[in-house]
Amino acid sequence: MLTSMTKTDFQKPKTVEEAVTLLKEAGDDARPISGGATLVALMNARLVQPSRLVSLSAIDELTQCTYQSDGSVRIGAMRRHRQTAFESNLKAAHQVVSGAASQIANPPVRNMGTIGGSISFADPAADYPPSLVAANAEIEIAGPEGRRRIPAEEFFLGWYETALEPGEIVTAVILPPVSESSVGQYEKLCRIAGDFALASVAVTIDFNASNTVTSLRLAVGGCGGGPIRVEAAEQALIGTKLELDAVVDAAELVVAELDPIDDVRGSAEYRLKVVPRLLQRAFNNLVETREPAQ
Amino acid sequence: MQIEQSFTVDAPRSRVWTLIRDPEQMIACVPGCESIEETGPDTYRAAVTVSVGPIKARFSMAIAVIEETVMEYVRTESKGEEGSRASIVQAISDMRLTDMPEGGTEIHYSSTVEISGRLGRYGAGMMKKIATRLAAKFEESFRALAEKQEEVC
């Protein structure tokens, strides 16, 4: 099996700048490696044969998750899914992200995989992308030209394509400040435990004192090339108390924007049918988690 | 996998035909195409890279024009292999040109594509989405080329 293995140069820099330089030097066939949950599997299957691997695991800043003074949370790209799932800094609406992390694959993958690696791979059915769009996250990227930040919505271009230019790496995910009254919920439907989503729904909502929705963001996963945010549905739900009628109407607006495919997990038609149910389930679960606090 | 699409460009049919049959011009329009060389009358060899996520497949394509009606229709057969790897792509493509009543040319193409090997791992549903995206890139570059050329003349 291993007879035609090509030789891979392995590097383990200590800083982001070094990592970027090492990637640039080696050109197109170099790959950054974080947890390796996906890349190592692709290499084992000989689908990808990098000439150089640049491990990001020794870069201290990437392994930190910090609560910033302005209320935003900076999740380093090397944070494992398990760490994010149990992250105490993620409160209120930010829990849409920890909720997504807790539902990724299985414990070995959650112990190994990282947020930076997962979003760079950008599987259309992955759990983080819709949750980051719903959380209005920003992605921090480092490259030969320095660092830049872009909204999650502009990062996922669809069908495994991201806004990363050659030689660039994700360094952090930044979640904006949220109010204490906000909530976040991630709902996923998969055929078997640990699978990628057949479809998923991520929502973040804030309410006023009388339980009326004052802000809402909603994104769907597994139903197109990337997470799909439906602003018309968000607008339709703001000002309501998430009554059944309002949710049914909004779900129709959501379904109209989806672009699913038939694949081994389910047909496109089936996906369009389950998304409204997932949306309703997300709202039901939100109300349940909220009520004891009232 | 079947792909069928049509688009119009604001250029006369003769111009569109000349461009389509000029390999040098096509390099710039076909997404991922690095080179095309003529290997005989109506046969060509092209290097085309298709990447899906981290998987990048570089195909050496043999393309043959198997049927054509000048200015109207061309049918090509393409076969590509990826070096020593087991990725194979095969396609039969038809392209038909028609004059538009208001001037300009409609380009209608349909293609039957079979992919196996590394890229074949992505299901047909996803490959079709990716193919459609590549087709849109082709359309954009081709339109820019055809309409620019016309201004020059």
Side-chain angles (χ1 to χ4, degrees):
Chain A
M1 263 311 276
L2 299 178
T3 47
S4 68
M5 277 282 281
T6 48
K7 208 173 161 192
T8 302
D9 168 37
F10 185 83
Q11 300 285 337
K12 202 167 176 178
K14 294 262 187 329
T15 67
V16 167
E17 288 64 34
E18 270 179 76
V20 167
T21 310
L22 285 164
L23 285 168
K24 194 183 169 189
E25 273 174 13
D28 268 5
D29 286 333
R31 290 258 149 216
I33 182 165
S34 47
T38 304
L39 186 53
V40 171
L42 288 171
M43 288 169 63
N44 286 344
R46 295 204 290 156
L47 294 172
V48 176
Q49 290 177 323
S51 59
R52 167 178 280 179
L53 282 176
V54 179
S55 169
L56 306 181
S57 62
I59 303 174
D60 199 42
E61 67 161 298
L62 301 187
T63 62
Q64 310 296 320
C65 175
T66 47
Y67 185 81
Q68 324 256 53
S69 54
D70 65 350
S72 63
V73 177
R74 181 191 166 87
I75 307 173
M78 274 297 300
R79 295 294 283 183
R80 313 279 169 174
H81 307 326
R82 183 178 189 279
Q83 293 175 308
T84 305
F86 289 101
E87 184 58 64
S88 57
N89 284 325
L90 299 180
K91 298 189 178 85
H94 288 160
Q95 288 183 339
V96 70
V97 178
S98 42
S102 71
Q103 294 182 54
I104 297 171
N106 46 50
V109 168
R110 289 197 291 275
N111 286 335
M112 191 179 176
T114 67
I115 191 166
S118 173
I119 65 173
S120 304
F121 184 56
D123 190 296
D127 297 296
Y128 277 132
S131 77
L132 296 181
V133 170
N136 199 12
E138 282 192 314
I139 314 297
E140 187 189 83
I141 295 168
E145 314 292 315
R147 297 205 189 190
R148 63 189 179 114
R149 269 195 195 190
I150 57 168
E153 263 180 282
E154 292 167 26
F155 179 81
F156 300 103
L157 304 180
W159 310 114
Y160 297 95
E161 206 179 323
T162 66
L164 286 171
E165 298 288 341
E168 286 189 325
I169 56 169
V170 170
T171 46
V173 168
I174 294 124
L175 306 180
V178 287
S179 77
E180 277 178 29
S181 59
S182 65
V183 281
Q185 186 73 24
Y186 180 73
E187 291 292 338
K188 168 182 183 179
L189 180 72
C190 47
R191 287 194 315 167
I192 53 164
D195 195 7
F196 278 100
L198 193 142
S200 65
V201 167
V203 286
T204 58
I205 312 182
D206 201 359
F207 301 88
N208 64 15
S210 62
N211 262 345
T212 302
V213 175
T214 53
S215 69
L216 185 144
R217 282 177 72 95
L218 181 164
V220 178
C223 288
I228 298 175
R229 181 181 169 208
V230 187
E231 286 178 70
E234 293 173 357
Q235 290 307 319
L237 289 166
I238 293 171
T240 70
K241 291 184 176 175
L242 300 178
E243 297 89 348
L244 187 60
D245 290 356
V247 174
V248 170
D249 291 347
E252 267 183 41
L253 296 171
V254 171
V255 167
E257 295 300 314
L258 305 180
D259 181 26
I261 54 166
D262 296 330
D263 67 11
V264 65
R265 298 190 183 99
S267 67
E269 197 188 352
Y270 180 58
R271 289 180 155 94
L272 297 179
K273 285 223 182 338
V274 297
V275 166
R277 274 78 170 174
L278 282 175
L279 195 61
Q280 183 66 59
R281 196 203 281 175
F283 292 140
N284 290 348
N285 290 344
L286 272 179
V287 172
E288 276 164 28
T289 50
R290 230 178 103 70
E291 266 164 5
Q294 292 296 303
Chain B
M1 177 169 70
Q2 276 283 345
I3 300 162
E4 190 167 357
Q5 222 142 11
S6 59
F7 63 100
T8 55
V9 294
D10 190 11
R13 189 144 60 101
S14 54
R15 169 73 53 205
V16 173
W17 179 260
T18 314
L19 291 175
I20 282 175
R21 294 296 274 116
D22 181 349
E24 288 302 315
Q25 299 286 1
M26 282 299 102
I27 296 176
C29 295
V30 177
C33 182
E34 288 151 22
S35 63
I36 301 184
E37 52 172 318
E38 215 161 335
T39 49
D42 288 339
T43 59
Y44 305 90
R45 183 156 288 279
V48 182
T49 303
V50 181
S51 38
V52 183
I55 299 178
K56 194 186 281 178
R58 191 165 182 272
F59 290 102
S60 167
M61 306 281 300
I63 303 159
V65 174
I66 50 178
E67 204 184 319
E68 74 175 321
T69 310
V70 174
M71 297 266 290
E72 262 177 37
Y73 169 76
V74 60
R75 163 171 275 207
T76 55
E77 185 180 37
S78 320
K79 280 183 189 162
E81 278 178 25
E82 195 204 354
S84 58
R85 296 172 199 273
S87 290
I88 293 170
V89 56
Q90 291 194 55
I92 300 266
S93 312
D94 291 319
M95 195 177 254
R96 191 174 288 281
L97 307 182
T98 2
D99 287 324
M100 296 299 285
E102 64 273 22
T105 308
E106 186 195 54
I107 299 161
H108 178 268
Y109 62 92
S110 62
S111 214
T112 308
V113 189
E114 278 168 40
I115 301 171
S116 60
R118 295 202 295 168
L119 291 177
R121 286 174 187 244
Y122 295 101
M126 188 176 298
M127 283 315 290
K128 195 162 178 173
K129 295 281 183 193
I130 290 162
T132 309
R133 170 182 281 194
L134 294 177
K137 281 187 187 162
F138 170 78
E139 184 182 322
E140 196 184 311
S141 330
F142 186 78
R143 179 178 292 121
L145 177 71
E147 293 175 3
K148 184 183 91 191
Q149 286 270 335
E150 197 186 25
E151 278 164 26
V152 172
C153 296

